[in-house]
Amino acid sequence: MREVWTDAELGTIRIVLNTRAKHIIMRAEADGIKVTVPPHVLFKDVTDMIDKHRHDLKSMKERAGERCKRIDLDYSIETDVMQLHLTEGERSGFYVNRKQGECTIICPRNTDFDSIQDWLRNVVVEQLRIQAKAYLYNRTMEIARQYGFKLSDIKIQSSRTRWGSCSGRNSVNLSLFLMAVPSHLIDYVIKHELCHTVHHDHSSAFWELMDKVTDNKAHQLRKELAEYKMV
């Protein structure tokens, strides 16, 4: 099966095999489409699926491109939990200076940023992941102890569709992109998922518990979080 090819309308089509996948999953990216497939799927199955959903995929790709802010020397992430920016250096290659909560990506002079956007975005995501693994895990455990929540696991994922989720086994999943929002909204997402360890739905009982752990600000914080987009 072809793993990568270029489509005139959709850009780069990238096929990724996942032995745990049960269905074909298509996700729009700024430069094309990522298709995750289970074993034994035929190439024709993939192309048929793409053609069937071509119109929707074009719209999704356009929205993905709009979300992807250009990364250059003007790019930065600045919150009360993390600061990231780019600057020029004297070396011929790229390197990263990182300390707790702060990250600087040093670029060679006269860098052609247009030609390395995908690579740079991966660098930024990796820095977010490093910071998230430390901050989000510790903060989740701290809040869980404070309110007496019981959870089975904490996982840091690269989801761009959800800030967080909670499994039926009370495993809390958090998106690494939370590191680009203020700490009080990170706390809101963590509390939201921890409340799901008690109520696995969005019933009135769930929102009553959310109000209890957010000083009656659950809906206000939810509305504020909706103003943020994943970087």
Side-chain angles (χ1 to χ4, degrees):
M1 182 185 295
R2 295 168 62 186
E3 296 181 354
V4 180
W5 77 95
T6 300
D7 182 274
E9 290 183 314
L10 299 175
T12 301
I13 309 294
R14 198 158 50 91
I15 296 180
V16 178
L17 176 66
N18 186 333
T19 56
R20 294 177 296 177
K22 296 181 179 180
H23 309 284
I24 297 175
I25 302 172
M26 298 182 293
R27 188 181 74 181
E29 300 177 331
D31 62 340
I33 305 297
K34 176 183 176 182
V35 184
T36 302
V37 300
H40 312 305
V41 166
L42 300 176
F43 181 70
K44 187 177 185 304
D45 296 332
V46 176
T47 56
D48 286 348
M49 182 72 75
I50 290 173
D51 287 338
K52 180 180 179 181
H53 297 281
R54 180 171 293 272
H55 177 75
D56 292 337
L57 289 170
K58 285 173 63 178
S59 298
M60 292 166 59
K61 179 175 176 290
E62 289 172 0
R63 291 196 297 271
E66 292 171 357
R67 288 197 304 267
C68 293
K69 181 180 177 183
R70 185 175 189 269
I71 300 178
D72 54 23
L73 296 176
D74 294 324
Y75 181 91
S76 67
I77 296 173
E78 296 185 12
T79 73
D80 55 339
V81 295
M82 181 176 180
Q83 293 79 48
L84 180 149
H85 67 278
L86 285 73
T87 188
E88 285 186 335
E90 299 298 330
R91 298 185 188 179
S92 58
F94 290 83
Y95 60 102
V96 176
N97 281 343
R98 184 176 59 248
K99 57 183 178 180
Q100 185 174 7
E102 297 181 15
C103 175
T104 304
I105 301 172
I106 297 93
C107 313
R109 294 190 183 278
N110 302 316
T111 295
D112 179 5
F113 288 99
D114 288 333
S115 65
I116 58 170
Q117 284 296 296
D118 290 343
W119 179 82
L120 267 180
R121 197 165 304 281
N122 288 334
V123 172
V124 169
V125 169
E126 185 57 29
Q127 301 313 310
L128 289 169
R129 189 188 310 279
I130 291 169
Q131 299 291 340
K133 284 184 176 180
Y135 182 85
L136 295 181
Y137 181 88
N138 291 334
R139 187 58 181 152
T140 301
M141 292 303 298
E142 182 180 355
I143 292 174
R145 286 192 295 266
Q146 179 182 355
Y147 293 100
F149 289 110
K150 304 297 183 182
L151 64 159
S152 62
D153 195 11
I154 302 169
K155 297 179 181 179
I156 309 302
Q157 301 179 333
S158 57
S159 171
R160 288 183 179 273
T161 58
R162 289 183 177 183
W163 293 111
S165 63
C166 178
S167 74
R169 297 182 178 180
N170 293 343
S171 174
V172 170
N173 307 304
L174 298 170
S175 171
L176 60 88
F177 297 106
L178 278 169
M179 296 305 295
V181 306
S183 60
H184 70 285
L185 294 180
I186 293 177
D187 284 359
Y188 165 78
V189 173
I190 291 172
K191 291 174 181 178
H192 186 110
E193 304 313 330
L194 287 174
C195 284
H196 276 313
T197 65
V198 180
H199 302 288
H200 290 275
D201 53 26
H202 288 103
S203 62
S204 58
F206 168 83
W207 286 110
E208 286 174 8
L209 182 57
M210 276 295 294
D211 276 332
K212 182 178 179 180
V213 300
T214 60
D215 296 325
N216 293 314
K217 296 179 179 178
H219 290 285
Q220 174 185 329
L221 292 168
R222 181 187 184 189
K223 185 176 180 180
E224 185 178 349
L225 181 64
E227 299 297 318
Y228 285 82
K229 296 181 180 180
M230 294 185 176
V231 297

